[in-house]
């Protein structure tokens, strides 16, 4: 088995996004319905032992970066021990975490000690009432405490802001202004139809072009930064500001040509694209009495059958119009 993974389109694959749970303590309307969520029964979730084995095998195959996501990773009991364990893996260069920040502030010293390289904090507004309207929970103060803690501990921080037509588009400049005084990357993400229901009606389309127009009209001197390899964001900076501003064309899918990522869902579904069906059940493979080499063979074959982009993946997918919750895939 080769020690680096290259897909059938010649793209190196070195990054896995592992969703450790589908549970969450918020109910962001673009991600989950308010009620009636059918969580995955516990025995169907990967155990931490299974996740450790999966990460180890992927690292042996050439993955060097893991993002821990969910659901909300910190609602799963035992997560810190898991992070500690995978941090010992030789060859795993980076562990990053995406969190809503509700429970994260008290964990920051441990996250720093474990060596978590960066945290993506999801925050769509700086207004407490609006935070409640979007997430259906009154947790803004805890999330802000996490943001301040990340600054205090000097943990590299990205803020993920989903741009929601008619909901927070009047606040984009206020969010961008965080980069004036904070060393933070504020990234505006196009809303995708992964909300556990069906496509919302949009008052107007806020795609990456419109987001950029808005930023350029506010900051005429804003300039483009070079794109790091396999970057999903177009990155900009306002002269003299400490942080940077990114735009992620998640719905327009402009970045597929260099996509280097794989996904493992909370149930152990192995995906080679956000928009694809599971390529196979990694959980079932891990629960069969088979060798590491045999599990790696499943992974290798899935990587050799990747769609060339998110549009092809969506076309090939059996479920038709996207209606899954992002929490069940791992955003
Ligand atoms: N609970 C954690 C959090 O919110 O950061 C991690 C999981 S969440 C599914 C990961 C990311 O997906 C968040 O930044 C969230 O804003 C984003 N997300 C969820 N649903 C989305 C959607 N429909 N469109 C765009 N981004 C979405
Ligand atoms: Fe929870 Fe994150 Fe989804 Fe919001 S975006 S409901 S915080 S999983």
């Amino acid at each position: 088995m080769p020690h680096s993974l290259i897909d059938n389109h010649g793209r190196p694959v070195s990054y896995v996004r592992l969703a450790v749970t589908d549970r969450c303590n918020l109910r962001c309307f673009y991600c989950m319905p308010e009620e009636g969520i059918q969580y995955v029964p516990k025995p169907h979730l990967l155990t931490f032992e299974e996740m450790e084995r999966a990460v180890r095998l992927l690292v042996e195959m050439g993955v060097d970066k893991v993002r821990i996501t969910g659901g909300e990773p910190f609602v799963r009991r035992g997560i810190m021990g898991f992070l500690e364990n995978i941090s010992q893996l030789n060859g795993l260069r980076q562990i990053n975490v995406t969190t809503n920040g509700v429970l994260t502030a008290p964990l920051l010293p441990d996250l720093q000690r474990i060596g978590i390289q960066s945290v993506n904090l999801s925050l769509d507004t700086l207004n407490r009432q609006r935070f409640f309207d979007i997430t259906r929970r009154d947790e803004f103060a805890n999330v802000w405490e996490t943001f301040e803690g990340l600054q205090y501990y000097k943990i590299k921080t990205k803020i993920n802001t989903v741009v929601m037509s008619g909901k927070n588009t009047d606040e984009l400049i206020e969010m961008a202004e965080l980069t004036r005084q904070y060393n933070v990357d504020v990234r505006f993400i196009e809303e995708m139809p992964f909300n556990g229901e069906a496509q919302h009606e949009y008052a107007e389309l806020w795609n990456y072009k419109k987001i950029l127009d808005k930023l350029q009209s506010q900051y005429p001197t804003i300039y483009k930064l070079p794109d790091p390899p396999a970057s999903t964001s177009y990155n900009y900076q306002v002269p003299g500001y400490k942080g940077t501003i990114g735009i992620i064309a998640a719905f327009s899918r402009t970045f597929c040509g260099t996509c280097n990522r794989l996904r493992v869902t909370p149930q152990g579904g192995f995906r080679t694209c956000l928009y694809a069906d599971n390529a196979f059940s990694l959980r079932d493979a891990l629960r069969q009495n088979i060798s590491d080499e045999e599990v790696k063979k499943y992974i290798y074959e899935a990587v050799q059958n990747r769609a060339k982009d998110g549009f092809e993946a969506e076309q090939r997918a059996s479920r038709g119009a996207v209606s899954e919750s992002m929490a069940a895939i791992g955003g």
Side-chain angles (χ1 to χ4, degrees):
M1 197 61 62
H3 289 285
S4 67
L5 272 175
I6 312 271
D7 75 9
N8 46 324
H9 302 282
R11 293 171 294 197
V13 172
S14 56
Y15 173 25
V16 65
R17 301 177 62 99
L18 175 65
V20 296
T21 181
D22 63 334
R23 273 74 167 159
C24 191
N25 45 4
L26 296 183
R27 289 288 177 278
C28 306
F29 85 95
Y30 51 75
C31 178
M32 284 193 189
E34 186 163 16
E35 285 170 4
I37 301 159
Q38 305 240 314
Y39 280 142
V40 172
K42 280 227 171 83
H44 294 194
L45 294 174
L46 287 183
T47 64
F48 283 125
E49 291 72 24
E50 288 165 342
M51 286 190 260
E52 271 178 53
R53 183 173 175 213
V55 175
R56 175 174 60 75
L57 297 182
L58 284 158
V59 169
E60 286 171 11
M61 295 180 78
V63 164
D64 63 1
K65 180 170 159 192
V66 172
R67 174 168 298 283
I68 305 301
T69 180
E72 172 49 32
F74 296 112
V75 301
R76 182 141 183 196
R77 231 175 303 142
I79 180 71
M80 296 304 280
F82 168 72
L83 293 178
E84 181 117 40
N85 290 351
I86 60 168
S87 74
Q88 316 290 327
L89 284 172
N90 271 338
L92 184 54
R93 207 172 39 84
Q94 260 193 58
I95 307 173
N96 301 328
V97 178
T98 301
T99 174
N100 63 28
V102 173
L103 300 172
T104 319
L107 304 172
L108 294 175
D110 281 334
L111 292 176
Q112 191 188 49
R113 181 182 54 75
I114 292 169
I116 301 304
Q117 263 87 358
S118 83
V119 170
N120 285 9
L121 180 66
S122 302
L123 184 60
D124 305 316
T125 174
L126 299 173
N127 175 292
R128 177 179 164 192
Q129 178 59 45
R130 188 175 274 182
F131 182 95
F132 179 83
D133 294 341
I134 293 170
T135 68
R136 300 156 171 144
R137 300 287 185 271
D138 186 17
E139 295 284 3
F140 176 76
N142 285 324
V143 180
W144 191 252
E145 195 186 333
T146 294
F147 176 66
E148 292 190 320
L150 286 162
Q151 295 290 311
Y152 178 82
Y153 287 103
K154 297 194 167 39
I155 299 175
K156 190 170 156 40
T157 305
K158 294 178 181 171
I159 289 184
N160 284 351
T161 301
V162 179
V163 177
M164 291 161 276
S165 170
K167 288 258 187 332
N168 64 350
T169 43
D170 59 348
E171 230 185 307
L172 299 193
I173 298 305
E174 251 179 277
M175 298 298 300
E177 272 299 297
L178 290 173
T179 67
R180 181 196 288 266
Q181 59 160 319
Y182 295 109
N183 186 6
V184 65
D185 301 334
V186 172
R187 291 140 28 111
F188 296 113
I189 307 178
E190 288 178 352
E191 184 178 352
M192 294 175 279
F194 293 105
N195 54 41
E197 296 171 303
Q199 181 102 42
H200 290 300
E201 291 288 325
Y202 300 116
E204 54 182 333
L205 180 68
W206 274 82
N207 64 10
Y208 68 103
K209 291 194 188 110
K210 190 169 168 103
I211 298 168
L212 182 58
D213 281 351
K214 174 86 185 169
L215 293 170
Q216 283 173 329
S217 65
Q218 178 69 26
Y219 304 114
T221 56
I222 195 169
Y223 60 93
K224 173 109 173 41
L225 296 165
D227 296 324
S231 172
T232 52
S233 54
Y234 301 115
N235 301 300
Y236 299 85
Q237 191 159 32
V238 180
Y241 281 27
K242 284 190 177 160
T244 65
I245 302 170
I247 304 176
I248 302 185
F251 191 56
S252 305
R253 285 163 258 183
T254 55
F255 42 68
C256 301
T258 57
C259 179
N260 64 347
R261 61 203 61 204
L262 301 170
R263 291 168 187 270
V264 178
T265 72
Q267 307 198 59
F270 189 88
R271 284 198 185 189
T272 58
C273 173
L274 176 60
Y275 288 86
D277 282 342
N278 293 338
F280 72 100
S281 169
L282 181 58
R283 183 193 64 206
D284 291 353
L286 293 168
R287 290 183 188 177
Q288 288 164 21
N289 192 15
I290 60 173
S291 68
D292 285 354
E293 286 312 307
E294 283 168 293
V295 180
K296 284 182 187 174
K297 201 155 166 269
Y298 282 114
I299 295 173
Y300 183 77
E301 275 164 16
V303 171
Q304 295 317 308
N305 192 27
R306 269 182 111 201
K308 79 171 188 308
D309 57 30
F311 296 101
E312 187 184 297
E314 194 174 3
Q315 236 168 29
R316 279 201 215 164
S318 59
R319 64 192 130 74
V322 178
S323 62
E324 279 174 300
S325 161
M326 192 68 110
I329 313 171

